[in-house]
Amino acid sequence: MTLKDRDKKHLWHPLTQHKLHPDTIAITKAKGCVLTDEDGHTYIDAIASWYTSMYGHCNDHITNRVSAQMQCLDQVVFSGFTHEPAIKLSEELIKILPENQNKIFFSDNGSTSVEIGIKMALQYHVNKGEKRNTLIAFEGGFHGDTFGAMSVSGLSVYNGPFEDFFLDVKRIPTPNGNNHKDILRLLKSIIEQNDVAGFVYEPLVQGAAAMSMHDANGLNLILEFCKAHHIVTVADEVMTGFGKTGKHFASLYMETKPDIICLSKALTGGLLPMAITSCTQDIYDAFYSDDISKGLFHGHTYSANPLACTAALAGIELLQSDTIQNNIKNIIKSHHAFGDRIKKHPKVKSIRQTGVIFALDLNIEMSRYGNLRDQLYNFFMSRGVFLRPLGNTIYIQAPYIITPHELDKVYQVIVDALNTL
Ligand SMILES: *Cc1c(COP(=O)(O)O)cnc(C)c1O
């Protein structure tokens, strides 16, 4: 029996309606940008496995460091104990995060990093003797699948059934360069009617909203407004972190920095699951007290796993290397040239790009997980390229180590798809 057939017996996959999509592809190997399946077919991983494996799959620098760490310390409780990989990671991250960040809190995945950011924002006000129960979020955002994270996400098939159990959230439009006055007016009316604790947002690019991109100046004005009204700002950089936007973090494009930053995905270069919620000294100080109940009583069993910390450290070294920084510049240039080449194509409605994140909208309307979208996905896979269109949006977020030849192949299958549609 093939792996694909054995899979059907006991497995339940994420984000999958199994009745409509009974088939999976069994991957047996991944190296660099290439995935290999059980039949020997290869696929260029043009979305870096949900933007995690940005230094390439099974990267030798990362795997060697983690294997060495495995011989020495695998896992230990992180309450009451500490260890070098976590300490070193905190030191290295603080050097590259926006300058106001000073404390690092560990968890296991993007959703929990956001959940912690929300809890920090809510308890920050409680600890200061103020009850603030409302959160602000962007329309159409995606922050994960736990309840707090679902609450601040835009409504979709992901979170619809749970709407009645959500936190109190007011949603605002993203800034598009022309609407910031309206947004600020809306924010004013929200804070007049509600006690707002925090603002949770994906800076510059909303990943699951089909790589929707917004205006840095407008976002900066929103952040300034929040600062002025003591609304804790929580930047969800789970997708945008670690070089995707051209800078190490998207928040570095705005003058006003967030109070809290959520990180995961490329944090460990795709090797192990881990997440971090960083914050300013001011946030931390609100929890620092003789009163035990003012502490942040949140913890996950695998917090700061030494192997995951080691993978993250190796990833940060790669991110800062000349090779990766040059690759990032070259990919950005290459995407610009590709955008120029196809933007006039009759099947292309619009193109957009932030850093190495490139997206195009097709002129054809299609539902997010409908038939046409599936046809497009199958078209790419049958030609050896793994792209996951979101409705009528095709986006590329390839590993930084993708070769010009591999990238050209990704572009070519997209052009072929446009010409075939
Ligand atoms: C993927 C993602 C999450 C959720 O992360 P998980 O690790 O899947 O829980 C949260 N926020 C953003 C912006 C994401 O892209």
Side-chain angles (χ1 to χ4, degrees):
M1 262 222 280
T2 61
L3 291 173
K4 187 173 137 175
D5 291 329
R6 280 165 59 201
D7 172 276
K8 290 197 175 97
K9 193 154 179 214
H10 298 300
L11 290 175
W12 188 346
H13 288 264
L15 310 177
T16 303
Q17 172 49 273
H18 280 273
K19 190 161 184 195
L20 297 176
H21 295 99
D23 287 323
T24 49
I25 295 169
I27 299 298
T28 51
K29 207 177 121 185
K31 186 73 186 168
C33 279
V34 179
L35 306 173
T36 306
D37 74 12
E38 65 176 325
D39 300 320
H41 298 127
T42 58
Y43 310 92
I44 296 174
D45 186 354
I47 65 161
S49 288
W50 273 336
Y51 356 119
T52 56
S53 307
M54 297 308 289
Y55 315 106
H57 290 276
C58 296
N59 180 293
D60 290 338
H61 180 69
I62 303 179
T63 52
N64 288 339
R65 292 281 289 278
V66 173
S67 345
Q69 179 60 40
M70 276 167 112
Q71 311 300 320
C72 163
L73 173 67
D74 53 354
Q75 160 68 8
V76 71
V77 169
F78 203 60
S79 301
F81 288 125
T82 192
H83 48 76
E84 166 93 22
I87 294 165
K88 179 97 175 114
L89 178 55
S90 69
E91 292 165 351
E92 294 306 315
L93 261 181
I94 293 301
K95 281 185 205 158
I96 59 170
L97 280 166
E99 64 277 3
N100 68 343
Q101 300 296 299
N102 204 34
K103 291 284 174 181
I104 298 290
F105 192 94
F106 285 97
S107 64
D108 304 335
N109 59 70
S111 307
T112 55
S113 74
V114 172
E115 209 70 26
I116 291 159
I118 291 171
K119 286 172 77 171
M120 282 179 179
L122 293 171
Q123 194 181 340
Y124 173 86
H125 296 290
V126 172
N127 284 359
K128 291 193 166 247
E130 251 190 275
K131 200 169 157 69
R132 295 194 181 202
N133 283 355
T134 302
L135 295 166
I136 293 174
F138 277 143
E139 287 164 3
F142 175 74
H143 299 285
D145 293 333
T146 53
F147 273 88
M150 280 198 295
S151 304
V152 287
S153 300
L155 277 183
S156 71
V157 289
Y158 290 62
N159 58 3
F162 310 104
E163 198 184 346
D164 289 351
F165 308 98
F166 285 178
L167 302 173
D168 180 15
V169 175
K170 304 285 177 240
R171 295 190 181 84
I172 60 170
T174 50
N176 60 16
N178 301 312
N179 62 353
H180 50 266
K181 287 210 180 95
D182 294 339
I183 296 175
L184 291 177
R185 214 172 296 128
L186 177 60
L187 278 171
K188 240 175 130 197
S189 81
I190 291 172
I191 64 162
E192 274 161 19
Q193 290 160 38
N194 304 274
D195 294 316
V196 177
F199 168 47
V200 184
Y201 64 101
E202 290 162 275
L204 302 187
V205 187
Q206 294 179 294
M211 301 298 152
S212 155
M213 298 176 188
H214 56 256
D215 173 49
N217 289 329
L219 178 54
N220 195 52
L221 291 171
I222 296 171
L223 294 175
E224 276 177 8
F225 178 95
C226 290
K227 279 266 138 88
H229 295 91
H230 304 290
I231 295 167
V232 176
T233 50
V234 183
D236 177 354
E237 293 230 28
V238 169
M239 196 273 291
T240 51
F242 303 98
K244 314 279 181 55
T245 61
K247 298 194 185 204
H248 289 347
F249 301 97
S251 293
L252 293 167
Y253 285 92
M254 273 66 65
E255 201 185 321
T256 307
K257 307 299 185 222
D259 301 301
I260 293 172
I261 299 181
C262 309
L263 303 169
S264 188
K265 291 204 165 117
L267 169 64
T268 61
L271 190 74
L272 286 162
M274 186 169 74
I276 279 172
T277 310
S278 70
C279 70
T280 60
Q281 188 68 35
D282 177 53
I283 297 289
Y284 179 81
D285 286 346
F287 292 75
Y288 190 79
S289 163
D290 290 322
D291 179 354
I292 188 165
S293 71
K294 288 197 171 174
L296 180 63
F297 282 89
H298 185 111
H300 296 283
T301 312
Y302 278 94
S303 288
N305 171 263
L307 305 179
C309 289
T310 303
L313 275 165
I316 291 171
E317 284 170 16
L318 291 172
L319 177 68
Q320 294 178 283
S321 69
D322 290 345
T323 312
I324 294 294
Q325 285 303 312
N326 283 333
N327 287 4
I328 290 176
K329 286 195 195 95
N330 290 336
I331 294 171
I332 291 173
K333 259 192 249 158
S334 174
H335 283 350
H336 277 305
F338 177 59
D340 284 342
R341 187 175 138 208
I342 56 153
K343 68 183 172 205
K344 296 259 157 62
H345 193 287
K347 297 285 168 48
V348 175
K349 186 158 119 196
S350 59
I351 58 160
R352 57 191 173 277
Q353 182 182 344
T354 301
V356 304
I357 306 166
F358 177 90
L360 70 87
D361 287 346
L362 298 168
N363 252 332
I364 303 159
E365 282 313 313
M366 49 177 95
S367 62
R368 198 176 177 87
Y369 296 109
N371 276 340
L372 252 174
R373 181 264 167 209
D374 290 350
Q375 271 176 36
L376 204 54
Y377 171 78
N378 292 333
F379 182 94
F380 295 138
M381 290 299 279
S382 69
R383 282 157 181 78
V385 175
F386 174 40
L387 284 165
R388 270 179 71 96
L390 289 163
N392 65 340
T393 302
I394 300 169
Y395 72 91
I396 308 172
Q397 210 181 121
Y400 301 137
I401 51 101
I402 193 165
T403 63
H405 179 73
E406 286 167 330
L407 197 49
D408 282 341
K409 178 162 179 189
V410 175
Y411 295 149
Q412 193 52 49
V413 295
I414 294 176
V415 172
D416 291 346
L418 294 175
N419 292 337
T420 311
L421 275 170

